[in-house]
């Protein structure tokens, strides 16, 4: 077993265990302040992120099927090599329903602490039949106090160029969808998936929810904020390498139509996804693309009602 299954330091831990309910393998991470995360090899999917008080910060449906080949409904999934139905593959591509492996050669500088998991997905012969491109998709997940960082990377290991789209499909847990708002999208253009992907411009001061929302916001800033009034909690979503941001809530009708989603669960989640969708990424042989998404959870008193552009800058 790699050193990823060893205690990383006296108070932090990375271990691989079998999930007792599904029988699937997962990593459990804990950092010295006590926050924790879980990542399944199936889908390379983060399924849990808890603060130091043990409160879950990600949404996971009570009806989520942890049964291959179904995608897991909740947490953080990687949509690759295609977001949505824009290409010829199944919706959101196949990375989310493949078994990833431990990356033997992550080739990224070590993180300052060791609460890190490095995963790798390579296409099988069967995958090559539906998407005939050889690649290495890497995912580094790093847990720090109050922060969860995901670094996906795609390398072209083929002899010809290929093009892909990718989204970090993140389900955030909220107290009540009617009482949250997203800041940072004001005045931006978006494609509305509910209106044949027509292009509109965001008119509101911030985005609130009173019906189904399914949008791809374009050329978005490096930081967005999801403010949860009831919980007095703000998620800051920082990203780089991802020009777009998807915002999704299925609302009541679509919730009922999804077999792996509870009828009322739309009230307790919102998906905000760092994404590269509008302009697909092309890699020549040997080239690599890197994206980054960081989630930080902070007390809402940190904000004075508006995002503070100084404090919300992406860390270099
Ligand atoms: C979002 C899309 O990213 O994912 C929505 O914008 C989609 O259109 C949602 O409905 C869930 O997709 P799926 O395939 O997991 O049901």
């Amino acid at each position: 077993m790699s050193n990823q299954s060893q205690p990383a330091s006296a108070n932090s831990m990375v271990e691989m265990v079998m999930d007792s309910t599904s029988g699937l393998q997962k990593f459990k991470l804990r950092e010295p302040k006590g926050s924790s995360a879980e990542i399944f090899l199936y889908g390379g999917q983060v399924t849990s992120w808890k603060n130091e008080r043990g409160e879950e910060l990600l949404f996971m449906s009570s009806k989520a099927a942890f049964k291959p080949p179904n995608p897991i409904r909740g947490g953080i999934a990687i949509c690759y090599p295609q977001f949505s139905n824009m290409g010829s593959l199944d919706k959101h591509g196949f990375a989310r329903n493949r078994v990833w492996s431990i990356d033997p050669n992550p080739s990224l500088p070590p993180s300052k602490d060791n609460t890190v998991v490095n995963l790798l997905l390579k296409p099988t012969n069967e995958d090559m039949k539906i998407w005939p491109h050889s690649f290495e998709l890497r995912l580094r997940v790093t847990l720090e106090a109050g922060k969860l960082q995901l670094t996906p990377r795609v390398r072209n290991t083929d002899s010809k160029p290929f093009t892909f789209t990718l989204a970090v499909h993140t389900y955030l847990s909220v107290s009540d969808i009617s009482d949250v708002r997203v800041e940072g999208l004001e005045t931006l253009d978006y494609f509305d998936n509910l209106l044949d992907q027509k292009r509109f411009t965001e008119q509101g001061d911030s985005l609130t929810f009173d019906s189904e929302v399914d949008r791809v916001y374009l050329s978005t800033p490096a930081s967005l904020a999801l403010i949860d009034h009831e919980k007095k909690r703000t998620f800051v979503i920082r990203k780089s390498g991802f020009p777009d941001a998807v915002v999704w809530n299925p609302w009541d009708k679509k919730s009922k139509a999804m077999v792996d989603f509870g009828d009322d669960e739309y009230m307790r989640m919102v998906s905000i996804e760092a994404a590269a969708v509008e302009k697909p990424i092309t890699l020549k042989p040997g080239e690599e693309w890197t994206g980054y998404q960081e989630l930080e959870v902070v007390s809402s008193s940190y904000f004075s009602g508006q995002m503070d552009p100084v404090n919300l800058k992406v860390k270099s």
Side-chain angles (χ1 to χ4, degrees):
M1 183 77 45
S2 88
N3 61 6
Q4 294 185 30
S5 61
Q6 303 297 316
S9 74
N11 297 314
S12 70
M13 176 206 80
V14 179
E15 64 173 350
M16 195 159 127
V17 298
M18 194 186 78
D19 180 60
S20 54
T21 316
S22 63
L24 299 171
Q25 286 184 306
K26 67 181 180 186
F27 278 104
K28 292 174 82 165
L29 279 65
R30 184 174 298 278
E31 54 77 35
K33 293 263 166 57
S35 68
S36 63
E38 290 192 357
I39 300 122
F40 276 62
L41 285 184
Y42 179 63
Q45 185 141 349
V46 178
T47 56
S48 170
W49 174 38
K50 289 182 180 165
N51 65 16
E52 65 287 354
R53 291 185 299 283
E55 295 160 351
E56 184 57 67
L57 303 171
L58 299 177
F59 167 85
M60 176 60 65
S61 172
S62 61
K63 294 194 168 176
F66 286 75
K67 269 198 194 127
N70 301 302
I72 299 169
R73 175 73 66 200
I76 308 177
I78 301 293
C79 303
Y80 171 88
Q82 160 188 292
F83 173 78
S84 194
N85 286 316
M86 290 169 176
S88 54
L89 297 168
D90 279 353
K91 187 173 173 194
H92 290 343
F94 53 79
R96 64 176 179 164
N97 60 1
R98 296 293 185 273
V99 180
W100 296 45
S101 55
I102 298 168
D103 187 354
N105 179 25
S107 65
L108 270 183
S111 142
K112 70 177 171 357
D113 62 37
N114 276 336
T115 323
V116 173
V117 165
N118 291 291
L119 300 181
L120 172 65
L121 181 71
K122 293 183 189 182
T124 62
N125 291 340
E126 287 306 300
D127 295 334
M128 294 286 282
K129 286 181 193 156
I130 55 168
W131 202 67
H133 307 289
S134 175
F135 66 84
E136 290 173 349
L137 169 58
R138 295 192 150 77
L139 179 65
R140 168 176 280 202
V141 181
T142 306
L143 178 69
E144 283 180 22
K147 287 185 186 170
L148 185 71
Q149 297 153 341
L150 274 78
T151 311
R153 290 185 288 155
V154 179
R155 176 174 288 278
N156 182 339
T157 51
D158 214 326
S159 54
K160 49 191 186 318
F162 65 72
T163 298
F164 64 91
T165 53
L166 192 149
V168 182
H169 197 316
T170 305
Y171 289 76
L172 296 167
S173 168
V174 299
S175 51
D176 178 352
I177 187 65
S178 307
D179 204 21
V180 301
R181 67 177 197 275
V182 182
E183 292 194 349
L185 301 170
E186 307 79 28
T187 74
L188 298 183
D189 281 6
Y190 61 89
F191 292 128
D192 195 329
N193 287 333
L194 304 177
L195 294 169
D196 296 327
Q197 294 170 352
K198 277 200 195 110
R199 193 171 177 132
F200 296 89
T201 302
E202 180 59 60
Q203 304 291 344
D205 288 342
S206 61
L207 177 66
T208 53
F209 301 82
D210 56 11
S211 61
E212 186 180 356
V213 170
D214 190 353
R215 299 175 181 174
V216 181
Y217 284 86
L218 309 174
S219 304
T220 51
S223 299
L224 300 172
L226 172 69
I227 295 155
D228 187 331
H229 300 284
E230 194 179 314
K231 283 238 192 276
K232 296 190 172 51
R233 176 165 87 188
T234 294
F235 288 104
V236 182
I237 300 114
R238 298 188 180 89
K239 61 187 179 56
S240 62
F242 290 110
D244 310 319
V246 178
V247 181
W248 177 62
N249 181 288
W251 219 252
D252 54 349
K253 225 161 127 196
K254 199 157 277 173
S255 296
K256 290 187 180 122
M258 291 190 285
V259 287
D260 58 350
F261 196 85
D263 289 359
D264 295 332
E265 286 184 335
Y266 72 93
M267 295 177 187
R268 297 195 296 281
M269 58 73 66
V270 62
S271 245
I272 301 184
E273 314 170 32
V277 174
E278 186 200 15
K279 296 181 183 126
I281 295 156
T282 298
L283 292 178
K284 291 186 191 133
E287 280 185 342
E288 186 172 76
W289 165 89
T290 302
Y292 176 74
Q293 175 181 281
E294 175 182 286
L295 302 175
E296 181 178 12
V297 62
V298 290
S299 158
S300 285
S301 55
Y302 181 78
F303 295 95
S304 54
Q306 290 291 313
M307 264 187 14
D308 173 346
V310 174
N311 287 317
L312 294 179
K313 266 190 191 148
V314 167
K315 281 198 337 190
S316 55

